[in-house]
Amino acid sequence: MAYELYYWDGLQGRGEFVRLALECAGADYVEVCRAEDGKGMGAMMNILKGRASPFTPFAPPFLKDGDVLVSHVANILFYLAPKLGLAPKTEFLRYFANGLQLTITDFLAEVHDTHHPIATSQYYEDQKEAAKLRATDFLKHRMPKFLDYFERTLKENPEKSGHLAGGGLTYVDLSIFQVIEGLRYAFPRATAGLAKAYPGLVTLRDVVEQIPNVRNYLASERRLAFNTSGIFRHYPELDLDL
């Protein structure tokens, strides 16, 4: 039975972190809200409104595996990774990888707040001045703090594998690929020197890109383009040279 992934149609967003794991593993899955019959969005809303189960997610993405319903990116990946061959080998490293993914979750919240620092209910145009201040602080202070941590984690991995957790590829490596892709899209000037500042992370990003299933996915129509409705948004006025 195919996995069922529920996320807003037309957006990479948080759903992309789950898609990358499914695609990398060559898993059989259905993107429910992209169904050609147009009923996918209604099916997702029925779940969110509690009409299909008493165990209701707060928001997408969420994943159905038969009768199992799992929400939140880190939680979904923690569930999926052992099934997809993308989990570290030991219990300790599985929890460590989950901690890394949760740190990515925190990072994504800060990325989002660069363009919506006041309220998600307001348009970007209604909070541009605050967004400029927030983005400047993010690029000068918060982005380096997170990337420094991930670069250090990569270097301190006892396996010296070039991966973040253990001796081989895990879902966290795929998520770091997406983070770097998103940052480069949103802030091309600020990330121009990324390879020099964070050589390990950029090398890891390049390794992930060359995984055959990932490469095929990136070249396919299934891979949606970044746009100004997602987490990573390119507004030139928020970018700067570092």
Side-chain angles (χ1 to χ4, degrees), residues 73-96:
V73 171
N75 202 29
I76 295 168
L77 292 173
F78 189 74
Y79 171 80
L80 272 180
K83 298 174 179 290
L84 302 181
L86 292 171
K89 303 302 182 184
T90 69
E91 183 179 29
F92 168 75
L93 283 177
R94 288 194 291 273
Y95 284 113
F96 179 67

Side-chain angles (χ1 to χ4, degrees), residues 118-147:
I118 297 175
T120 56
S121 59
Q122 293 182 4
Y123 291 110
Y124 163 69
E125 289 74 16
D126 297 325
Q127 48 194 313
K128 288 179 69 172
E129 291 305 314
K132 178 63 175 176
L133 292 172
R134 186 63 175 263
T136 297
D137 180 74
F138 172 80
L139 293 173
K140 288 185 175 181
H141 303 292
R142 301 301 293 169
M143 183 176 75
K145 187 176 182 69
F146 279 94
L147 295 181

Side-chain angles (χ1 to χ4, degrees), residues 141-159:
H141 303 292
R142 301 301 293 169
M143 183 176 75
K145 187 176 182 69
F146 279 94
L147 295 181
D148 284 347
Y149 168 70
F150 291 122
E151 181 79 7
R152 187 177 77 244
T153 299
L154 196 64
K155 290 179 179 178
E156 293 179 351
N157 182 347
E159 299 284 344

Side-chain angles (χ1 to χ4, degrees), residues 45-130:
M45 296 311 297
N46 280 337
I47 293 174
L48 290 174
K49 293 177 180 178
R51 295 171 182 159
S53 168
F55 305 105
T56 306
F58 177 72
F62 51 88
L63 181 100
K64 282 194 71 178
D65 178 16
D67 294 330
V68 177
L69 182 65
V70 188
S71 63
H72 289 279
V73 171
N75 202 29
I76 295 168
L77 292 173
F78 189 74
Y79 171 80
L80 272 180
K83 298 174 179 290
L84 302 181
L86 292 171
K89 303 302 182 184
T90 69
E91 183 179 29
F92 168 75
L93 283 177
R94 288 194 291 273
Y95 284 113
F96 179 67
N98 189 47
L100 292 174
Q101 190 68 45
L102 289 166
T103 305
I104 290 172
T105 299
D106 292 340
F107 190 27
L108 294 177
E110 297 203 23
V111 171
H112 173 272
D113 288 349
T114 62
H115 49 77
H116 276 75
I118 297 175
T120 56
S121 59
Q122 293 182 4
Y123 291 110
Y124 163 69
E125 289 74 16
D126 297 325
Q127 48 194 313
K128 288 179 69 172
E129 291 305 314

